[in-house]
Amino acid sequence: MFMNTVWKNAQKIAYEALRACETPLGLTTGVHHFVDLWARDSLFATFGATAIGDYDTTKKTIETFLKYQRSDGLVPYRIQRAATSVWKYLGKPRYLPTPIANFRSHQSGGLVLDGGLMTIIATSEYVQRNHDKKFVKANFGKLTYAIDWYFERFGCNLISEWFLCEWADAVLKAGKTLYTNVLYAKAVSGMSELAKLLGHQEYAGRYRDLAKKIQQQIQTEFWNGRYFADWIDWKRQDYFASHPNMLAILFGLADATQERAILGYAKIHCWNSFTLETNHPRYPFWRIPIFHHVIGMGDYHNRGCLWLQPGILYAVALCQTGKKAEAKRVLTKISEKIVKYNGIYEVYEKNGSPVNRFFYRAEHPFAWSSGLFLWANDLVFGKK
């Protein structure tokens, strides 16, 4: 009874948090200083909107990213609504007259490549739930244009990117990252399903074959016998990144033996009372940009700050691999934290309290975690 009550209360909080992030453009990352639409945040958050039947918000978010698609097909990683300034990070954003599409990292200048991939994945998730053939038909041309951008540059080879361009953008990685390539495989597979829905069998077959080739390369290049490595530059960097490894399980890139190995490694090395640590082992000091050290946030993506997303994905991965009781326990631990602090925050300290440091305060509410939590509850506990 206690478990049931806790997760229901947490679900209500998550629902209200996601609603708070709704705008005419779709879901923003938050409402305090992350008031823009970041592709990974906003589009993963649509998983929750779709799960609760808020299809209009999901469609609106996807359509916004496609609206700002570049002439060569690239979809932005961020739709910027407010000027970047100290005021913004003090929770007093100064909104722009017209939103701006961002394609390059403000830190390194490299192209951030997950915008188009996440747009396709969010569309695929939405269509699996709602079977909205009309929506797919209206946007299939733009989605095809988006995925072709990657094919023209990488073919069926793995994606390479510049520093600070993947999700863990507070860590100096360059080359082939697991996170982006897991999304690549899933997006191409999703395009196959979308083409099949419209009866485009030739496209469906082409995308299916390409997805298999990308999946095989991920297996060959990233698997180290225990888990999928974090990234590959001049060599394979055998850090365990919990977030993309959970996605690899959920997106069907790991076989049964690999699933057990990944989940076992995560439980031993990354479980921290209510969620997973971002990585194991810790990244060295020099891999964190100096700015993050200066403001006291060198642990933002480095076994310091705790994020709910890896823990939520861990619960769904456990459920998907037949460990439903354990999945419920994980979601209950997360639920307890949400209820205790009456909200869903971007990052937490080791003791479970939301980050509130001298130079940085965790965003609240946080759409990405709120949406994934609603989605996970639907999959693990079922609709009540």
Side-chain angles (χ1 to χ4, degrees):
M1 178 62 72
F2 171 73
M3 179 185 291
N4 192 45
T5 301
V6 167
W7 78 256
K8 278 191 172 182
N9 288 341
Q11 186 177 41
K12 182 175 182 293
I13 292 169
Y15 177 86
E16 292 172 350
L18 195 64
R19 289 292 192 195
C21 296
E22 289 182 6
T23 72
L25 294 177
L27 290 166
T28 59
T29 299
V31 301
H32 181 263
H33 56 273
F34 281 138
V35 296
D36 305 319
L37 283 77
W38 290 70
R40 62 192 68 129
D41 300 70
S42 299
L43 292 165
F44 266 122
T46 66
F47 283 33
T50 299
I52 62 175
D54 187 3
Y55 301 136
D56 287 343
T57 295
T58 293
K59 290 192 292 183
K60 190 188 309 175
T61 306
I62 293 167
E63 288 168 344
T64 292
F65 279 95
L66 290 176
K67 175 183 176 182
Y68 286 90
Q69 185 175 30
R70 211 165 64 175
S71 61
D72 63 355
L74 184 62
V75 175
Y77 78 92
R78 179 172 67 167
I79 309 298
Q80 187 175 353
R81 299 171 64 229
T84 301
S85 66
V86 173
W87 292 108
K88 186 176 186 179
Y89 288 92
L90 292 175
K92 297 178 180 180
R94 296 179 176 179
Y95 290 96
L96 302 169
T98 304
I100 298 172
N102 297 155
F103 298 93
R104 293 188 176 275
S105 165
H106 65 280
Q107 297 185 94
S108 70
L111 285 174
V112 181
L113 302 179
D114 59 356
L117 304 176
M118 279 307 308
T119 301
I120 294 166
I121 292 168
T123 303
S124 179
E125 174 68 19
Y126 164 69
V127 172
Q128 284 180 27
R129 294 267 187 165
N130 199 35
H131 309 289
D132 190 347
K133 188 174 180 179
K134 182 179 178 181
F135 183 76
V136 178
K137 187 175 182 179
N139 293 288
F140 189 72
K142 289 185 176 182
L143 295 171
T144 301
Y145 201 30
I147 202 65
D148 283 350
W149 187 92
Y150 300 94
F151 292 147
E152 288 172 5
R153 285 151 186 81
F154 305 105
C156 57
N157 297 314
L158 298 179
I159 290 174
S160 291
E161 58 197 330
W162 193 235
F163 291 103
L164 308 175
C165 291
E166 65 132 30
W167 171 62
D169 59 1
V171 184
L172 291 167
K173 308 176 192 178
K176 293 177 278 192
T177 66
L178 179 62
Y179 168 78
T180 303
N181 282 288
V182 166
L183 295 187
Y184 190 28
K186 177 62 174 175
V188 178
S189 178
M191 282 300 298
S192 178
E193 293 302 314
L194 295 174
K196 185 178 178 181
L197 177 67
L198 296 182
H200 300 325
Q201 298 304 329
E202 184 178 347
Y203 277 109
R206 173 174 173 256
Y207 290 135
R208 183 179 61 249
D209 293 344
L210 287 167
K212 287 180 180 178
K213 290 179 181 179
I214 295 165
Q215 291 165 8
Q216 185 55 55
Q217 286 186 78
I218 291 173
Q219 285 284 345
T220 301
E221 298 194 36
F222 282 95
W223 183 253
N224 66 10
R226 298 170 295 169
Y227 51 81
F228 293 106
D230 197 348
W231 80 97
I232 301 166
D233 42 32
W234 57 279
K235 70 171 186 174
R236 190 182 68 201
Q237 300 289 347
D238 281 331
Y239 294 90
F240 177 79
S242 59
H243 189 202
N245 267 278
M246 294 306 119
L247 288 176
I249 293 175
L250 297 178
F251 292 166
L253 303 182
D255 62 29
T257 300
Q258 291 171 330
E259 289 172 348
R260 288 193 294 271
I262 292 168
L263 292 172
Y265 194 94
K267 185 175 183 178
I268 293 170
H269 296 286
C270 290
W271 177 249
N272 192 323
S273 77
F274 70 98
T275 191
L276 295 180
E277 297 274 7
T278 51
N279 55 286
H280 181 268
R282 189 177 178 86
Y283 301 121
F285 181 90
W286 63 268
R287 281 208 177 269
I288 309 301
I290 190 65
F291 171 76
H292 292 272
H293 288 300
V294 169
I295 66 170
M297 293 298 293
D299 59 352
Y300 188 62
H301 282 132
N302 194 19
R303 293 191 68 86
C305 293
L306 292 168
W307 302 71
L308 295 187
Q309 301 99 301
I312 295 168
L313 297 177
Y314 179 50
V316 179
L318 287 167
C319 183
Q320 186 171 295
T321 55
K323 299 180 180 181
K324 193 164 186 176
E326 191 172 351
K328 288 182 176 180
R329 284 194 291 272
V330 170
L331 274 188
T332 299
K333 289 293 185 182
I334 294 172
S335 299
E336 289 171 357
K337 201 62 60 179
I338 291 170
V339 171
K340 179 177 181 179
Y341 293 101
N342 193 33
I344 296 184
Y345 290 79
E346 173 197 7
V347 280
Y348 297 77
E349 300 288 3
K350 295 287 192 184
N351 63 9
S353 63
V355 167
N356 188 8
R357 301 179 184 176
F358 187 77
F359 285 114
Y360 193 79
R361 183 176 70 177
E363 179 62 289
H364 165 250
F366 191 56
W368 188 349
S369 296
S370 301
L372 282 187
F373 183 77
L374 291 169
W375 172 72
N377 265 329
D378 183 41
L379 294 173
V380 175
F381 288 102
K383 292 181 179 178
K384 298 287 183 177

